Amino acid sequence: MTVTALDEPALGLRERFPIFRHTTYLNSCSLGALSDRSRVAMSDYLDQWERRGASAWYDTWLGAYERLRVGYGRIVGADASAIALHPCISTALTVVAESLDYRRRPKVVTTTLDFPTVPYQWLAKAGAGVDVEILESPDGISVPLEAFARAIDGRTALVATSHVFFTSGHVQDVRAIADLAHVQGALCLIDGYQGAGQVPVDVGAMDVDFYCAGGLKWLLGGSGIAFLYVRPSLIGQLEPRVAGWFGHATPFRFDPRVLERAADAHRFDLGTPAVAAVYAQLAGLEVLEDAGLAWVQARTRALADDLIADATARGLRPKVSPEPARRSAIVMLPREQPHADVARLAAAGFIVDARPGHVRVSPYFYNRADEHRSFLEHLSRG
Ligand SMILES: Cc1ncc(COP(=O)(O)O)c(C=O)c1O
């Protein structure tokens, strides 16, 4: 994709995101921008709630929930029957954490670069004998495969780590990590919240046991909706020590005596979904599908490359993977006072984010290259 093309509005798609009328939004890794389509879908939900009340559950809302399973499945290359739905990553992790047997395998391996809710899930089980090994990163960008190889052993139940690190944008070699886990008889869970949407995901090729992501960021669905992929051959073997009625084989039988779990990944669902979030997410996925995921990812990557090159030329020393193929559209710029920078830039109409010691910038397909160039110009002046 040429740099000139990156200055062009993205195939008219940009107009679908009203925030660009007044703001230079470069923070999709925190929250994807709201499209007009999601707004219409959510107001459609409100209309039905107002007009029909609970009668909309049976012929409309539950169907939308199932369509979302299909849509998420398409994003990661899985059948809908392997997708459980959750309100957030943390509850999806809870179901996995409560499905494992830690008696013979008490160890869980994760890293310091993962989003803290991943280690927290298992640190909370320290009292129950779970031993969490948190791998260090020598450069704050990635964790060497050798560190995973050294840590994963015959006592390891699970390796839980990211597809793309929120801290550095580094894209991990998920297949290699999954292979290291499987050689030792351990399972592999990938937190793909910063991956799905902005980089290709194929759970089969990655050979992972669990993959979770959701609407908040690159899938344009807003908050309150996430999913968990479970490897089909594993589904029937897992009996989570948590349950909710949406995980029952026949929830509308309302039988309190027998917990008969669904045969497919519905068994990892918990309770009543936030329907507004489901509607917002369905519309967000439609926008991505209409644009074409491959195009979305290629343009995002080209924008990120241009941003990294420009930041480097300005002496801003972006902290990104030294291997270009492992970079993504999360770009960390080392700064002395990142919060002051973010506030100053917000006053000038640029929305970016602060993380310890860094300003974090994340363009997506709806951005243009002139936006990050102008942002870098403002940042350099401070
Ligand atoms: C990689 C990653 N995982 C998880 C989360 C959040 O998890 P939850 O949905 O439980 O809030 C975030 C950020 O919001 C994230 O960047």
Side-chain angles (χ1 to χ4, degrees), residues 108-123:
V108 173
V109 175
T110 181
T111 86
T112 49
L113 298 184
D114 287 305
F115 195 80
T117 208
V118 175
Y120 293 168
Q121 185 63 227
W122 284 278
L123 287 170

PDB file of all heavy atoms in Angstrom, residues 108-123:
ATOM      1  N   VAL A 108       0.987 -22.571  36.275  1.00  0.00           N
ATOM      2  CA  VAL A 108       0.493 -21.787  35.135  1.00  0.00           C
ATOM      3  C   VAL A 108       1.600 -20.811  34.752  1.00  0.00           C
ATOM      4  O   VAL A 108       2.167 -20.128  35.616  1.00  0.00           O
ATOM      5  CB  VAL A 108      -0.805 -21.029  35.497  1.00  0.00           C
ATOM      6  CG1 VAL A 108      -1.227 -20.083  34.377  1.00  0.00           C
ATOM      7  CG2 VAL A 108      -1.923 -22.032  35.784  1.00  0.00           C
ATOM      8  N   VAL A 109       1.923 -20.783  33.472  1.00  0.00           N
ATOM      9  CA  VAL A 109       3.005 -19.913  32.993  1.00  0.00           C
ATOM     10  C   VAL A 109       2.395 -18.730  32.247  1.00  0.00           C
ATOM     11  O   VAL A 109       1.572 -18.905  31.342  1.00  0.00           O
ATOM     12  CB  VAL A 109       3.950 -20.701  32.039  1.00  0.00           C
ATOM     13  CG1 VAL A 109       5.002 -19.777  31.430  1.00  0.00           C
ATOM     14  CG2 VAL A 109       4.612 -21.863  32.788  1.00  0.00           C
ATOM     15  N   THR A 110       2.807 -17.517  32.643  1.00  0.00           N
ATOM     16  CA  THR A 110       2.367 -16.310  31.943  1.00  0.00           C
ATOM     17  C   THR A 110       3.545 -15.335  31.938  1.00  0.00           C
ATOM     18  O   THR A 110       4.664 -15.735  32.255  1.00  0.00           O
ATOM     19  CB  THR A 110       1.067 -15.763  32.581  1.00  0.00           C
ATOM     20  OG1 THR A 110       0.656 -14.600  31.874  1.00  0.00           O
ATOM     21  CG2 THR A 110       1.208 -15.445  34.039  1.00  0.00           C
ATOM     22  N   THR A 111       3.320 -14.083  31.524  1.00  0.00           N
ATOM     23  CA  THR A 111       4.473 -13.174  31.410  1.00  0.00           C
ATOM     24  C   THR A 111       4.158 -11.792  31.980  1.00  0.00           C
ATOM     25  O   THR A 111       2.990 -11.419  32.144  1.00  0.00           O
ATOM     26  CB  THR A 111       4.917 -12.986  29.927  1.00  0.00           C
ATOM     27  OG1 THR A 111       4.139 -11.928  29.347  1.00  0.00           O
ATOM     28  CG2 THR A 111       4.763 -14.253  29.097  1.00  0.00           C
ATOM     29  N   THR A 112       5.213 -11.028  32.215  1.00  0.00           N
ATOM     30  CA  THR A 112       5.036  -9.660  32.753  1.00  0.00           C
ATOM     31  C   THR A 112       4.443  -8.719  31.707  1.00  0.00           C
ATOM     32  O   THR A 112       4.007  -7.633  32.046  1.00  0.00           O
ATOM     33  CB  THR A 112       6.384  -9.046  33.189  1.00  0.00           C
ATOM     34  OG1 THR A 112       7.319  -9.226  32.122  1.00  0.00           O
ATOM     35  CG2 THR A 112       6.911  -9.667  34.452  1.00  0.00           C
ATOM     36  N   LEU A 113       4.463  -9.101  30.432  1.00  0.00           N
ATOM     37  CA  LEU A 113       3.932  -8.219  29.388  1.00  0.00           C
ATOM     38  C   LEU A 113       2.448  -8.471  29.110  1.00  0.00           C
ATOM     39  O   LEU A 113       1.829  -7.754  28.326  1.00  0.00           O
ATOM     40  CB  LEU A 113       4.727  -8.377  28.086  1.00  0.00           C
ATOM     41  CG  LEU A 113       6.202  -7.997  28.158  1.00  0.00           C
ATOM     42  CD1 LEU A 113       6.853  -8.093  26.776  1.00  0.00           C
ATOM     43  CD2 LEU A 113       6.402  -6.589  28.711  1.00  0.00           C
ATOM     44  N   ASP A 114       1.900  -9.511  29.733  1.00  0.00           N
ATOM     45  CA  ASP A 114       0.484  -9.791  29.513  1.00  0.00           C
ATOM     46  C   ASP A 114      -0.379  -8.812  30.281  1.00  0.00           C
ATOM     47  O   ASP A 114       0.041  -8.245  31.292  1.00  0.00           O
ATOM     48  CB  ASP A 114       0.169 -11.240  29.927  1.00  0.00           C
ATOM     49  CG  ASP A 114       0.743 -12.208  28.916  1.00  0.00           C
ATOM     50  OD1 ASP A 114       0.413 -12.066  27.728  1.00  0.00           O
ATOM     51  OD2 ASP A 114       1.563 -13.067  29.306  1.00  0.00           O
ATOM     52  N   PHE A 115      -1.611  -8.654  29.820  1.00  0.00           N
ATOM     53  CA  PHE A 115      -2.537  -7.772  30.531  1.00  0.00           C
ATOM     54  C   PHE A 115      -2.769  -8.376  31.921  1.00  0.00           C
ATOM     55  O   PHE A 115      -3.017  -9.578  32.051  1.00  0.00           O
ATOM     56  CB  PHE A 115      -3.846  -7.628  29.754  1.00  0.00           C
ATOM     57  CG  PHE A 115      -4.664  -6.486  30.249  1.00  0.00           C
ATOM     58  CD1 PHE A 115      -4.370  -5.187  29.846  1.00  0.00           C
ATOM     59  CD2 PHE A 115      -5.693  -6.681  31.142  1.00  0.00           C
ATOM     60  CE1 PHE A 115      -5.112  -4.102  30.328  1.00  0.00           C
ATOM     61  CE2 PHE A 115      -6.433  -5.615  31.626  1.00  0.00           C
ATOM     62  CZ  PHE A 115      -6.144  -4.319  31.216  1.00  0.00           C
ATOM     63  N   PRO A 116      -2.679  -7.554  32.985  1.00  0.00           N
ATOM     64  CA  PRO A 116      -2.679  -8.105  34.346  1.00  0.00           C
ATOM     65  C   PRO A 116      -3.852  -9.016  34.685  1.00  0.00           C
ATOM     66  O   PRO A 116      -3.721  -9.887  35.549  1.00  0.00           O
ATOM     67  CB  PRO A 116      -2.688  -6.857  35.226  1.00  0.00           C
ATOM     68  CG  PRO A 116      -2.078  -5.799  34.384  1.00  0.00           C
ATOM     69  CD  PRO A 116      -2.455  -6.100  32.959  1.00  0.00           C
ATOM     70  N   THR A 117      -4.988  -8.841  34.009  1.00  0.00           N
ATOM     71  CA  THR A 117      -6.122  -9.705  34.362  1.00  0.00           C
ATOM     72  C   THR A 117      -5.806 -11.180  34.068  1.00  0.00           C
ATOM     73  O   THR A 117      -6.418 -12.067  34.670  1.00  0.00           O
ATOM     74  CB  THR A 117      -7.424  -9.222  33.658  1.00  0.00           C
ATOM     75  OG1 THR A 117      -8.541  -9.590  34.445  1.00  0.00           O
ATOM     76  CG2 THR A 117      -7.577  -9.760  32.240  1.00  0.00           C
ATOM     77  N   VAL A 118      -4.809 -11.438  33.203  1.00  0.00           N
ATOM     78  CA  VAL A 118      -4.423 -12.829  32.941  1.00  0.00           C
ATOM     79  C   VAL A 118      -3.694 -13.413  34.158  1.00  0.00           C
ATOM     80  O   VAL A 118      -4.182 -14.380  34.760  1.00  0.00           O
ATOM     81  CB  VAL A 118      -3.591 -12.956  31.635  1.00  0.00           C
ATOM     82  CG1 VAL A 118      -3.092 -14.384  31.450  1.00  0.00           C
ATOM     83  CG2 VAL A 118      -4.418 -12.505  30.438  1.00  0.00           C
ATOM     84  N   PRO A 119      -2.558 -12.850  34.582  1.00  0.00           N
ATOM     85  CA  PRO A 119      -1.946 -13.401  35.810  1.00  0.00           C
ATOM     86  C   PRO A 119      -2.864 -13.347  37.029  1.00  0.00           C
ATOM     87  O   PRO A 119      -2.884 -14.297  37.836  1.00  0.00           O
ATOM     88  CB  PRO A 119      -0.695 -12.548  36.022  1.00  0.00           C
ATOM     89  CG  PRO A 119      -0.682 -11.509  34.971  1.00  0.00           C
ATOM     90  CD  PRO A 119      -1.689 -11.860  33.928  1.00  0.00           C
ATOM     91  N   TYR A 120      -3.647 -12.258  37.172  1.00  0.00           N
ATOM     92  CA  TYR A 120      -4.505 -12.147  38.366  1.00  0.00           C
ATOM     93  C   TYR A 120      -5.409 -13.367  38.515  1.00  0.00           C
ATOM     94  O   TYR A 120      -5.675 -13.832  39.620  1.00  0.00           O
ATOM     95  CB  TYR A 120      -5.395 -10.903  38.305  1.00  0.00           C
ATOM     96  CG  TYR A 120      -4.682  -9.569  38.383  1.00  0.00           C
ATOM     97  CD1 TYR A 120      -5.343  -8.379  38.081  1.00  0.00           C
ATOM     98  CD2 TYR A 120      -3.344  -9.485  38.763  1.00  0.00           C
ATOM     99  CE1 TYR A 120      -4.702  -7.152  38.147  1.00  0.00           C
ATOM    100  CE2 TYR A 120      -2.695  -8.249  38.822  1.00  0.00           C
ATOM    101  CZ  TYR A 120      -3.376  -7.098  38.506  1.00  0.00           C
ATOM    102  OH  TYR A 120      -2.746  -5.885  38.560  1.00  0.00           O
ATOM    103  N   GLN A 121      -5.926 -13.842  37.379  1.00  0.00           N
ATOM    104  CA  GLN A 121      -6.860 -14.963  37.407  1.00  0.00           C
ATOM    105  C   GLN A 121      -6.261 -16.160  38.153  1.00  0.00           C
ATOM    106  O   GLN A 121      -6.961 -16.853  38.874  1.00  0.00           O
ATOM    107  CB  GLN A 121      -7.178 -15.347  35.949  1.00  0.00           C
ATOM    108  CG  GLN A 121      -8.211 -16.402  35.773  1.00  0.00           C
ATOM    109  CD  GLN A 121      -9.562 -15.976  36.308  1.00  0.00           C
ATOM    110  OE1 GLN A 121     -10.193 -16.741  37.024  1.00  0.00           O
ATOM    111  NE2 GLN A 121     -10.011 -14.768  35.981  1.00  0.00           N
ATOM    112  N   TRP A 122      -4.945 -16.367  37.955  1.00  0.00           N
ATOM    113  CA  TRP A 122      -4.331 -17.537  38.583  1.00  0.00           C
ATOM    114  C   TRP A 122      -3.622 -17.179  39.886  1.00  0.00           C
ATOM    115  O   TRP A 122      -3.531 -18.009  40.775  1.00  0.00           O
ATOM    116  CB  TRP A 122      -3.427 -18.256  37.574  1.00  0.00           C
ATOM    117  CG  TRP A 122      -4.294 -19.035  36.619  1.00  0.00           C
ATOM    118  CD1 TRP A 122      -4.828 -20.269  36.849  1.00  0.00           C
ATOM    119  CD2 TRP A 122      -4.815 -18.609  35.356  1.00  0.00           C
ATOM    120  NE1 TRP A 122      -5.640 -20.639  35.796  1.00  0.00           N
ATOM    121  CE2 TRP A 122      -5.645 -19.645  34.861  1.00  0.00           C
ATOM    122  CE3 TRP A 122      -4.662 -17.461  34.575  1.00  0.00           C
ATOM    123  CZ2 TRP A 122      -6.304 -19.572  33.640  1.00  0.00           C
ATOM    124  CZ3 TRP A 122      -5.318 -17.379  33.358  1.00  0.00           C
ATOM    125  CH2 TRP A 122      -6.128 -18.427  32.904  1.00  0.00           C
ATOM    126  N   LEU A 123      -3.181 -15.925  40.024  1.00  0.00           N
ATOM    127  CA  LEU A 123      -2.624 -15.511  41.325  1.00  0.00           C
ATOM    128  C   LEU A 123      -3.710 -15.628  42.395  1.00  0.00           C
ATOM    129  O   LEU A 123      -3.431 -15.930  43.552  1.00  0.00           O
ATOM    130  CB  LEU A 123      -2.098 -14.067  41.258  1.00  0.00           C
ATOM    131  CG  LEU A 123      -0.790 -13.900  40.466  1.00  0.00           C
ATOM    132  CD1 LEU A 123      -0.469 -12.423  40.240  1.00  0.00           C
ATOM    133  CD2 LEU A 123       0.385 -14.601  41.178  1.00  0.00           C
TER     134      LEU A 123
END
